[in-house]
Amino acid sequence: MQNNDKPSGLARIIRERRSIKTGYRNIPVPQELILELLNDAVYAPNHKLREPWRFIFVPTEAKQLFALEMAQQYPEDMFENRLKYFNEPDAYLIILMTDSDNQKQKDEDFGAVSSMIQNFQLLAWERGLGTVWKTNPHIYDPKVKEMLGVQQGERIAGFLHLGFYSDVPEGAPRTPAEEKFTVYQPKYDL
C-alpha cells in the first residue's frame, strides 16, 4: 500500500467528475464505448452477485425519435419543452433494476445499481464522455415503462444523459468528512 500525500489518479477523477447537463458537442456516442464502460462498471459490489441491472441504450441516431416518443408522454402544454429537453443529450443509457417486495433486497440492489452507475460515470469521465444521472418523474410513468419494455419485476433506476462535452462546469465544494464524522464510544467497560 502506498503511503504518500499525493492523491491517486482515481481520487483525482472522483473529485474532477462533473454532471454534464448541457453543452454536448453533437458527436455520436459509440455503442462499443458504452459496452466497454459497462463491462468494467458492472464490477460494482452487489450482494450475492445478483447483478440487479439491465440496460437500454438509445444511440445518437435514434435520439430524435426517442425524444419525440418521450415528449408525447407529457401533457400537450409541455410537449415543446420536453422535446427540446430530450434532444439535448447525444445519447441515453437507461438503467433498469430488479424490484423486490423484500425491503432488505430492494435496498441492497439499489445500493449495487448506484455503485455501478457511479463506476460508469467515473469511467466515462476518464474517456471524455459526459454523463448526468436523472431520476425525473417519467421514470415512474407506466406509459414510459411500457414504451421502453420494462418487464414485470423491474423498475427504472434512472436515465443517464450522455454526450461528449467542451466545457467543464465549476465544481461545488463538499463538506469535509470531519464535519460529519463521529467515533463510537462504548457505554460500558469490559
Side-chain angles (χ1 to χ4, degrees):
M1 181 165 135
Q2 282 185 306
N3 188 9
N4 61 36
D5 292 336
K6 283 184 144 183
S8 70
L10 178 59
R12 182 183 50 74
I13 290 169
I14 289 170
R15 288 176 178 252
E16 290 177 356
R17 187 208 59 81
R18 301 286 180 266
S19 292
I20 304 297
K21 300 174 185 175
T22 60
Y24 300 104
R25 295 174 50 206
N26 198 25
I27 296 172
V29 176
Q31 178 176 319
E32 298 77 22
L33 175 60
I34 299 307
L35 285 169
E36 179 185 332
L37 299 175
L38 283 172
N39 277 317
D40 288 329
V42 297
Y43 279 84
N46 62 99
H47 194 69
K48 296 187 177 181
L49 290 177
R50 281 194 293 265
E51 299 181 326
W53 43 69
R54 187 166 73 85
F55 313 102
I56 299 171
F57 180 56
V58 179
T60 306
E61 57 273 10
K63 182 201 55 170
Q64 284 186 314
L65 287 174
F66 173 77
L68 182 61
E69 281 190 74
M70 285 298 297
Q72 289 172 351
Q73 307 307 317
Y74 282 84
E76 193 174 320
D77 63 332
M78 293 181 69
F79 178 82
E80 289 299 325
N81 173 280
R82 295 293 84 186
L83 185 61
K84 182 179 180 199
Y85 172 80
F86 287 111
N87 268 299
E88 180 72 29
D90 292 324
Y92 287 89
L93 183 64
I94 301 162
I95 313 296
L96 305 178
M97 61 173 287
T98 55
D99 204 7
S100 172
D101 292 333
N102 178 309
Q103 189 62 51
K104 181 179 183 302
Q105 183 173 332
K106 184 181 281 199
D107 291 346
E108 290 168 350
D109 289 350
F110 188 73
V113 169
S114 298
S115 297
M116 185 279 303
I117 290 172
Q118 173 71 348
N119 284 354
F120 182 88
Q121 290 181 306
L122 293 170
L123 291 161
W125 185 261
E126 185 178 47
R127 300 289 291 274
L129 179 65
T131 67
V132 62
W133 179 8
K134 294 289 197 165
T135 55
N136 296 4
H138 57 253
I139 71 170
Y140 306 104
D141 185 331
K143 294 180 294 184
V144 170
K145 291 178 181 181
E146 183 180 339
M147 178 190 119
L148 295 172
V150 176
Q151 299 170 3
Q152 184 79 19
E154 289 182 325
R155 68 185 183 106
I156 301 171
F159 282 41
L160 290 182
H161 297 201
L162 307 172
F164 296 100
Y165 55 91
S166 296
D167 299 322
V168 176
E170 241 351 92
R174 300 300 200 267
T175 303
E178 291 83 359
E179 292 183 29
K180 297 186 176 221
F181 186 83
T182 56
V183 176
Y184 170 75
Q185 296 294 321
K187 292 184 173 98
Y188 306 102
D189 279 336
L190 291 179

